[in-house]
Amino acid sequence: MKKNCCFPIVLSAPSGGGKTVVRSALVKSCADYVFSVTCTTRERRPEEVNGRDYFFVTAAEFMKMKEKGELLEWAEVHGNYYGTPVKSVTRAMESGRFPVMTIDVKGAASVRAIFPEALTVFLLPPSLEVLKARLRARGEKPERIDIRLKTACEEIKEAYKFDYLVVNDKLADTVKAVENLIKVNRMKIMYHLNFIKEFEKQLENDR
């Protein structure tokens, strides 16, 4: 990959949409993709590792980061705070890698405002029944499922603002679809201006 055409990759989805699983598979598929670890105030799940899945912080620590302008975006979701440290995104791109973010729709809008070149992808399961089944499989209680579905009603209204929609049915197909979108996005003229100018100069000198 050419190292001068890196951009943030934003994956958003309702809870149960599979954005975390897709992100993990995408990062494993290529060394040029790196997970931009976000911080959160929610409780750590048994399978999660601090610094790998999230930076787990207290509400006070989170607010301090916010006040110092250290967060690219932040949002309150289901009573917990989530945010993306600016350094985790800029450092990835400076090293020639693509930072992959799994954030909510409000966070995606904040990223687009700062990085208009960001590739934004909205993920949805193939049906509502599949979404409910995935939430139940995570061990979510009925009342929590109801809350997440109500949030999903609001989130899906923002899907129209994303660049692409990918239906997350089979993981391998979903990851392949996202990889193809990244490849297409890298072909934008804005990432190849120097090459075009150099080619133009060579043509002029050859006449």
Side-chain angles (χ1 to χ4, degrees):
M1 282 187 177
K2 293 176 68 176
K3 299 302 184 182
N4 62 343
C5 59
C6 297
F7 45 81
I9 300 164
V10 176
L11 303 177
S12 292
S15 292
K19 59 183 179 292
T20 301
V21 176
V22 172
R23 176 258 297 166
S24 297
L26 182 64
V27 170
K28 289 180 181 179
S29 72
C30 179
D32 285 329
Y33 306 140
V34 58
F35 174 45
S36 180
V37 183
T38 57
C39 54
T40 181
T41 60
R42 77 160 171 76
E43 292 186 8
R44 182 174 62 85
R45 293 169 183 161
E47 73 278 7
E48 292 176 326
V49 176
N50 185 46
R52 183 194 69 185
D53 300 290
Y54 288 95
F55 292 118
F56 293 94
V57 298
T58 65
E61 290 171 332
F62 188 95
M63 288 304 165
K64 190 173 182 179
M65 294 176 69
K66 176 177 172 292
E67 291 169 2
K68 288 184 175 182
E70 296 176 356
L71 299 177
L72 171 62
E73 57 79 30
W74 70 276
E76 183 179 1
V77 183
H78 304 305
N80 296 305
Y81 290 107
Y82 295 81
T84 302
V86 177
K87 290 182 179 179
S88 65
V89 176
T90 56
R91 284 177 178 172
M93 292 193 293
E94 287 170 357
S95 67
R97 305 175 79 186
F98 295 78
V100 182
M101 289 175 272
T102 48
I103 53 182
D104 75 336
V105 293
K106 292 181 180 179
S110 298
V111 173
R112 284 196 300 267
I114 299 175
F115 297 102
E117 72 274 24
L119 173 66
T120 58
V121 181
F122 196 83
L123 302 173
L124 277 177
S127 70
L128 178 58
E129 288 308 312
V130 171
L131 177 62
K132 291 179 179 179
R134 289 177 180 175
L135 291 173
R136 288 194 292 268
R138 285 192 341 193
E140 297 279 3
K141 296 180 179 179
E143 60 270 21
R144 295 298 299 176
I145 291 178
D146 288 340
I147 292 174
R148 295 188 184 283
L149 292 178
K150 288 179 181 178
T151 302
C153 287
E154 297 303 315
E155 291 175 324
I156 200 168
K157 294 176 183 177
E158 300 296 314
Y160 304 98
K161 298 178 181 179
F162 282 69
D163 296 319
Y164 299 97
L165 169 74
V166 173
V167 176
N168 181 23
D169 187 4
K170 296 181 179 178
L171 179 60
D173 293 342
T174 300
V175 172
K176 187 64 177 179
V178 175
E179 287 179 324
N180 288 336
L181 293 177
I182 296 169
K183 291 176 182 178
V184 169
N185 205 59
R186 289 181 61 238
M187 295 179 188
K188 286 183 176 179
I189 291 292
M190 63 184 290
Y191 298 119
H192 305 284
L193 295 179
N194 290 336
F195 176 77
I196 295 172
K197 290 179 180 178
E198 181 60 29
F199 205 108
E200 182 181 18
K201 184 185 298 183
Q202 291 176 14
L203 281 174
E204 292 176 349
N205 293 337
D206 190 60
R207 285 189 297 175

